[in-house]
C-alpha cells in the first residue's frame, strides 16, 4: 500500500528543537562534572557536612566520591614508595650477588630494572580501576535514589 504523500514535517527544524531543549549549563544545577554537589557556603559548613555524612549511621549520604582523589593520591604515594624500595633493594641485592655468582647478580639486576617498573605501572592501573569502579557504583546508587525520588507517587 503505497501513498505518494510525504510524512508531515515537524513544526521546527531539529537543530532549533535541540537548542530549545538544551539546559543553559550542562549537567544538573549545583552539581559539577564529578557529581559532587557544589559547596555553597563557608568551609566550616562544608566540614560539618562532611563529618555529619561520615557519622551518618543510615548511610544515606555517600562520602566516597569526595574522598576518591585522596585515596588515589595516597595509593599513588604507596606505590611510589614501594617502587623505590623494591628497585633499590633489588639493585643492591644484585650487586651483592655479583661477588658470589656473577650470572645471578646480573640476572637479578636486569629482572629488577624490568619487573619493578612494570609491576608499579600495573599497580597504578589497578588502583585507578578500583577507585573508578567504586565511584561509578556510588554514582549509580545516587542516580537511582534520585530517579526513585522523582518517580514516587
Amino acid at each position: 500500500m503505497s501513498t505518494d504523500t510525504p510524512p508531515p514535517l515537524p513544526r521546527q527544524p531539529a537543530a532549533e528543537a535541540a537548542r530549545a531543549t538544551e539546559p543553559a549549563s550542562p549537567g544538573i544545577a549545583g552539581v559539577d562534572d564529578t557529581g559532587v554537589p557544589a559547596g555553597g557556603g563557608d568551609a566550616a559548613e562544608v566540614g560539618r557536612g562532611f563529618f555529619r555524612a561520615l557519622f551518618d549511621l543510615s548511610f544515606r549520604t555517600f562520602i566516597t566520591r569526595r574522598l576518591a582523589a585522596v585515596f588515589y593520591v595516597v595509593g599513588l604515594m604507596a606505590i611510589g614508595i614501594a617502587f623505590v624500595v623494591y628497585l633499590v633493594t633489588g639493585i643492591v641485592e644484585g650487586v651483592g650477588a655479583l661477588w658470589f655468582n656473577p650470572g645471578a647478580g646480573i640476572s637479578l639486576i636486569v629482572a629488577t630494572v624490568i619487573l619493578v617498573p612494570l609491576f608499579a605501572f600495573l599497580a597504578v592501573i589497578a588502583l585507578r580501576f578500583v577507585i573508578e569502579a567504586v565511584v561509578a557504583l556510588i554514582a549509580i546508587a545516587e542516580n537511582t535514589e534520585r530517579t526513585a525520588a522523582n518517580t514516587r507517587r
Side-chain angles (χ1 to χ4, degrees), residues 54-149:
L54 185 63
F55 295 109
D56 176 23
L57 298 179
S58 65
F59 288 94
R60 294 198 183 273
T61 306
F62 299 108
I63 63 168
T64 308
R65 291 174 90 172
R66 297 177 193 173
L67 294 178
V70 174
F71 289 142
Y72 189 60
V73 168
V74 170
L76 286 176
M77 288 174 26
I79 291 169
I81 291 169
F83 171 77
V84 170
V85 167
Y86 281 115
L87 189 69
V88 169
T89 303
I91 291 174
V92 168
E93 292 291 325
V95 169
L98 281 174
W99 298 104
F100 303 108
N101 187 348
I106 292 172
S107 297
L108 183 58
I109 292 171
V110 169
T112 298
V113 169
I114 292 173
L115 293 179
V116 170
L118 177 67
F119 286 144
F121 179 69
L122 292 175
V124 170
I125 291 172
L127 174 68
R128 181 70 187 210
F129 178 76
V130 168
I131 290 176
E132 283 183 6
V134 170
V135 168
L137 186 64
I138 297 300
I140 290 170
E142 288 174 345
N143 291 338
T144 303
E145 182 179 339
R146 197 174 315 135
T147 301

